[in-house]
């Protein structure tokens, strides 16, 4: 476990004090909380937050990567807007939910928990969200497309790869009719990389076959029909 950047306990105590415990607890999910909340809730609504946006710009050295090959997870950065989901937890279970959530999201104190105004079809609610400061050492800064491709290809942690994490989030957002063009573009980079590698392998086989005077075998290119389902013409 990495050394905590900050002591998370005072931030938990502050969040509990700000909540008060007298009303139901609202939580805003913008990444894995949407598809793996790991807490019980009695209501879920689509929500829109102004002044913050979802960004795959937070280093992950355990869950979705390693110290040798850091992966990526989402952070909520200032600026723009973000569509996600809010979850309502009954007040009687709010304290235990916050404590469990802190163990998951705040073991190193990397996030800045904030109470944000979340707009929903049934009106606005005040919900707790885990935001990321650009001053955090876990903030990646701007990454090139090639860097994203490298991370998607190589970064794997105890919960799986960075690419699986990004894909799962994109699929779940789409399931809730939330469109994130920036995330869709990043996930597409991985597909481009896979197709490029397949084409390069095909070229190598073609060159090797030409040297030996034989025909190259089929190579499957992602997105194309299964070559095994087609018979070659004589």
């Amino acid at each position: 476990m990495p050394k905590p950047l900050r002591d998370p306990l005072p931030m938990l105590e502050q969040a509990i004090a700000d909540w008060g415990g007298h009303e139901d607890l609202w939580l805003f999910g913008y990444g894995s909380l949407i598809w793996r909340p790991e807490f019980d809730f009695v209501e879920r609504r689509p929500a829109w937050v102004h002044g913050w946006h979802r960004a795959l710009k937070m280093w992950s050295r355990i869950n979705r990567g390693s110290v040798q090959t850091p992966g990526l997870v989402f952070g909520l950065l200032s600026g723009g807007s973000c569509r996600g989901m809010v979850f309502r937890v009954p007040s009687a279970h709010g304290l235990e939910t916050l404590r469990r959530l802190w163990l998951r999201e705040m073991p190193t104190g990397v996030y800045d928990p904030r109470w944000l105004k979340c707009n929903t079809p049934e009106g606005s609610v005040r919900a707790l969200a885990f935001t990321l400061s650009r001053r955090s050492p876990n903030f990646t800064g701007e990454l090139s497309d090639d860097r994203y491709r490298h991370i998607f290809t190589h970064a794997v942690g105890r919960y799986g790869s960075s690419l699986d994490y990004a894909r799962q989030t994109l699929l779940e957002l789409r399931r809730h009719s939330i469109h994130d063009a920036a995330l869709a573009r990043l996930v597409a980079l991985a597909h481009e990389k896979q197709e490029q590698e397949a084409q390069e392998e095909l070229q190598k086989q073609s060159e090797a076959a030409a040297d030996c005077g034989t025909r190259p075998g089929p190579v499957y290119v992602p997105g194309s029909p299964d070559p095994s389902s087609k018979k070659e013409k004589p």
Side-chain angles (χ1 to χ4, degrees), residues 2-79:
K3 182 179 179 180
L5 302 174
R6 295 175 293 177
D7 184 355
L9 184 57
M11 289 186 281
L12 172 58
E13 293 173 345
Q14 185 61 54
I16 293 172
D18 291 341
W19 166 48
H22 304 297
E23 299 179 350
D24 289 349
L25 173 69
W26 287 93
L27 302 169
F28 178 67
Y30 57 88
S32 62
L33 279 184
I34 298 178
W35 47 270
R36 190 168 59 87
E38 295 185 329
F39 57 81
D40 295 329
F41 54 90
V42 294
E43 185 181 1
R44 177 176 59 189
R45 303 180 191 172
W48 175 74
V49 172
H50 179 70
W52 300 87
H53 69 280
R54 177 176 36 248
L56 196 61
K57 293 183 177 180
M58 178 174 159
W59 292 121
S60 174
R61 296 176 175 86
I62 294 180
N63 292 346
R64 296 292 174 172
S66 64
V67 174
Q68 295 76 18
T69 307
L72 296 171
V73 292
F74 289 104
L76 197 63
L77 296 177
S78 59

Side-chain angles (χ1 to χ4, degrees), residues 101-144:
L101 199 56
W102 239 251
L103 293 175
R104 166 178 164 167
E105 301 292 337
M106 293 286 288
T108 63
V110 63
Y111 288 112
D112 293 320
R114 295 178 185 271
W115 294 92
L116 303 179
K117 177 183 177 181
C118 301
N119 301 293
T120 81
E122 291 79 20
S124 64
V125 299
R126 179 173 172 265
L128 182 66
F130 293 97
T131 70
L132 180 66
S133 170
R134 289 180 173 81
R135 296 187 299 273
S136 169
N138 279 31
F139 173 58
T140 67
E142 293 301 316
L143 299 176
S144 67

